[in-house]
Short mmCIF file of all heavy atoms in Angstrom, two decimals:
data_model
loop_
_atom_site.label_atom_id
_atom_site.label_comp_id
_atom_site.label_asym_id
_atom_site.label_seq_id
_atom_site.Cartn_x
_atom_site.Cartn_y
_atom_site.Cartn_z
N ASP A 56 -6.13 -7.85 14.12
CA ASP A 56 -7.44 -8.47 13.88
C ASP A 56 -7.63 -8.48 12.28
O ASP A 56 -8.27 -9.38 11.82
CB ASP A 56 -8.65 -7.61 14.48
CG ASP A 56 -8.51 -7.63 16.00
OD1 ASP A 56 -8.21 -8.75 16.55
OD2 ASP A 56 -8.89 -6.69 16.56
N TYR A 57 -7.16 -7.46 11.62
CA TYR A 57 -7.34 -7.21 10.23
C TYR A 57 -5.99 -6.94 9.45
O TYR A 57 -5.15 -6.24 10.04
CB TYR A 57 -8.33 -6.06 9.92
CG TYR A 57 -9.79 -6.23 10.56
CD1 TYR A 57 -10.06 -5.80 11.84
CD2 TYR A 57 -10.63 -7.05 9.88
CE1 TYR A 57 -11.14 -5.92 12.38
CE2 TYR A 57 -11.90 -7.24 10.50
CZ TYR A 57 -12.21 -6.64 11.68
OH TYR A 57 -13.43 -6.88 12.27
N VAL A 58 -5.91 -7.54 8.30
CA VAL A 58 -4.85 -7.23 7.30
C VAL A 58 -5.59 -6.54 6.17
O VAL A 58 -6.57 -7.11 5.60
CB VAL A 58 -4.15 -8.49 6.82
CG1 VAL A 58 -3.07 -8.12 5.85
CG2 VAL A 58 -3.54 -9.20 8.08
N VAL A 59 -5.31 -5.33 5.86
CA VAL A 59 -5.97 -4.58 4.91
C VAL A 59 -5.10 -4.45 3.57
O VAL A 59 -3.88 -4.11 3.63
CB VAL A 59 -6.39 -3.16 5.43
CG1 VAL A 59 -7.03 -2.30 4.35
CG2 VAL A 59 -7.12 -3.11 6.65
N VAL A 60 -5.74 -4.88 2.50
CA VAL A 60 -5.01 -4.83 1.16
C VAL A 60 -5.75 -4.04 0.19
O VAL A 60 -6.89 -3.76 0.34
CB VAL A 60 -4.76 -6.31 0.67
CG1 VAL A 60 -4.01 -7.12 1.65
CG2 VAL A 60 -6.06 -6.99 0.48
N VAL A 61 -5.08 -3.66 -0.95
CA VAL A 61 -5.67 -2.96 -2.08
C VAL A 61 -5.65 -3.78 -3.26
O VAL A 61 -6.24 -3.40 -4.30
CB VAL A 61 -5.13 -1.61 -2.26
CG1 VAL A 61 -5.36 -0.65 -1.03
CG2 VAL A 61 -3.58 -1.63 -2.50
N ASN A 62 -4.96 -4.97 -3.32
CA ASN A 62 -4.75 -5.77 -4.50
C ASN A 62 -5.57 -7.09 -4.25
O ASN A 62 -5.28 -7.81 -3.32
CB ASN A 62 -3.27 -5.95 -4.80
CG ASN A 62 -3.08 -6.88 -5.88
OD1 ASN A 62 -3.45 -7.99 -5.95
ND2 ASN A 62 -2.41 -6.26 -6.88
N PRO A 63 -6.40 -7.46 -5.22
CA PRO A 63 -7.23 -8.73 -5.01
C PRO A 63 -6.32 -9.92 -5.07
O PRO A 63 -6.61 -10.85 -4.35
CB PRO A 63 -8.15 -8.71 -6.17
CG PRO A 63 -8.17 -7.34 -6.78
CD PRO A 63 -6.88 -6.73 -6.28
N GLY A 64 -5.27 -9.91 -5.78
CA GLY A 64 -4.28 -11.11 -5.79
C GLY A 64 -3.64 -11.21 -4.48
O GLY A 64 -3.50 -12.35 -3.99
N CYS A 65 -3.22 -10.16 -3.87
CA CYS A 65 -2.62 -10.20 -2.55
C CYS A 65 -3.61 -10.72 -1.51
O CYS A 65 -3.33 -11.36 -0.62
CB CYS A 65 -2.07 -8.81 -2.12
SG CYS A 65 -0.77 -8.21 -3.17
N GLN A 66 -4.91 -10.23 -1.69
CA GLN A 66 -5.97 -10.60 -0.81
C GLN A 66 -6.07 -12.16 -0.79
O GLN A 66 -6.11 -12.81 0.24
CB GLN A 66 -7.34 -9.90 -1.11
CG GLN A 66 -8.43 -10.23 -0.14
CD GLN A 66 -9.59 -9.38 -0.36
OE1 GLN A 66 -9.80 -8.54 -1.30
NE2 GLN A 66 -10.65 -9.56 0.49
N ARG A 67 -6.20 -12.67 -1.96
CA ARG A 67 -6.36 -14.13 -2.09
C ARG A 67 -5.13 -14.89 -1.49
O ARG A 67 -5.33 -15.87 -0.76
CB ARG A 67 -6.53 -14.53 -3.60
CG ARG A 67 -6.73 -16.07 -3.84
CD ARG A 67 -6.59 -16.43 -5.29
NE ARG A 67 -5.47 -15.87 -5.98
CZ ARG A 67 -4.23 -16.35 -5.92
NH1 ARG A 67 -3.91 -17.31 -5.16
NH2 ARG A 67 -3.25 -15.81 -6.64
N GLN A 68 -3.97 -14.37 -1.85
CA GLN A 68 -2.77 -15.10 -1.34
C GLN A 68 -2.70 -15.03 0.17
O GLN A 68 -2.43 -16.03 0.84
CB GLN A 68 -1.48 -14.40 -1.88
CG GLN A 68 -0.17 -14.79 -1.49
CD GLN A 68 0.33 -15.93 -2.18
OE1 GLN A 68 -0.34 -16.81 -2.83
NE2 GLN A 68 1.63 -16.11 -2.15
N LEU A 69 -2.91 -13.87 0.72
CA LEU A 69 -2.86 -13.68 2.27
C LEU A 69 -4.00 -14.56 2.96
O LEU A 69 -3.75 -15.18 3.98
CB LEU A 69 -2.90 -12.27 2.61
CG LEU A 69 -1.56 -11.52 2.38
CD1 LEU A 69 -1.83 -9.99 2.39
CD2 LEU A 69 -0.47 -11.94 3.21
N GLU A 70 -5.23 -14.54 2.36
CA GLU A 70 -6.26 -15.34 2.91
C GLU A 70 -5.97 -16.78 2.96
O GLU A 70 -6.17 -17.48 4.06
CB GLU A 70 -7.64 -15.10 2.01
CG GLU A 70 -8.22 -13.83 2.25
CD GLU A 70 -9.44 -13.57 1.32
OE1 GLU A 70 -9.52 -14.29 0.21
OE2 GLU A 70 -10.23 -12.66 1.59
N GLN A 71 -5.50 -17.23 1.85
CA GLN A 71 -5.11 -18.75 1.84
C GLN A 71 -3.93 -19.00 2.87
O GLN A 71 -4.10 -20.04 3.61
CB GLN A 71 -4.67 -19.12 0.46
CG GLN A 71 -5.75 -19.08 -0.64
CD GLN A 71 -5.30 -19.40 -2.05
OE1 GLN A 71 -4.08 -19.42 -2.31
NE2 GLN A 71 -6.22 -19.68 -2.88
N GLY A 72 -2.91 -18.16 2.90
CA GLY A 72 -1.87 -18.43 3.78
C GLY A 72 -2.34 -18.34 5.32
O GLY A 72 -1.94 -19.20 6.12
N LEU A 73 -3.12 -17.35 5.59
CA LEU A 73 -3.63 -17.24 6.98
C LEU A 73 -4.56 -18.38 7.40
O LEU A 73 -4.50 -18.81 8.60
CB LEU A 73 -4.29 -15.87 7.24
CG LEU A 73 -3.23 -14.69 7.20
CD1 LEU A 73 -4.03 -13.33 7.16
CD2 LEU A 73 -2.33 -14.70 8.32
N ARG A 74 -5.37 -18.79 6.48
CA ARG A 74 -6.24 -19.90 6.71
C ARG A 74 -5.39 -21.19 6.99
O ARG A 74 -5.66 -21.89 7.89
CB ARG A 74 -7.19 -20.15 5.46
CG ARG A 74 -8.25 -21.18 5.81
CD ARG A 74 -9.40 -21.27 4.67
NE ARG A 74 -8.88 -21.05 3.29
CZ ARG A 74 -9.17 -19.97 2.56
NH1 ARG A 74 -9.82 -18.98 3.09
NH2 ARG A 74 -8.69 -19.87 1.33
N ARG A 75 -4.40 -21.44 6.16
CA ARG A 75 -3.51 -22.57 6.41
C ARG A 75 -2.92 -22.51 7.73
O ARG A 75 -2.63 -23.55 8.41
CB ARG A 75 -2.46 -22.67 5.29
CG ARG A 75 -2.80 -23.43 4.06
CD ARG A 75 -1.64 -23.76 3.25
NE ARG A 75 -0.77 -22.58 2.89
CZ ARG A 75 -0.95 -21.88 1.78
NH1 ARG A 75 -1.85 -21.97 1.01
NH2 ARG A 75 -0.10 -20.77 1.59
N ALA A 76 -2.49 -21.34 8.17
CA ALA A 76 -1.75 -21.02 9.40
C ALA A 76 -2.82 -21.06 10.66
O ALA A 76 -2.33 -20.92 11.75
CB ALA A 76 -1.02 -19.82 9.38
N ARG A 77 -3.98 -21.11 10.36
CA ARG A 77 -5.08 -21.06 11.37
C ARG A 77 -5.12 -19.73 12.10
O ARG A 77 -5.22 -19.76 13.34
CB ARG A 77 -5.09 -22.30 12.28
CG ARG A 77 -5.45 -23.57 11.60
CD ARG A 77 -5.39 -24.74 12.58
NE ARG A 77 -6.03 -26.01 12.18
CZ ARG A 77 -5.91 -26.75 11.13
NH1 ARG A 77 -5.19 -26.25 10.14
NH2 ARG A 77 -6.56 -27.91 10.89
#
Side-chain angles (χ1 to χ4, degrees):
D56 295 321
Y57 299 96
V58 178
V59 180
V60 299
V61 295
N62 180 292
C65 297
Q66 184 171 1
R67 180 189 50 77
Q68 175 87 336
L69 290 165
E70 284 172 344
Q71 289 175 349
L73 289 170
R74 188 171 37 252
R75 272 193 309 270
R77 292 181 165 51

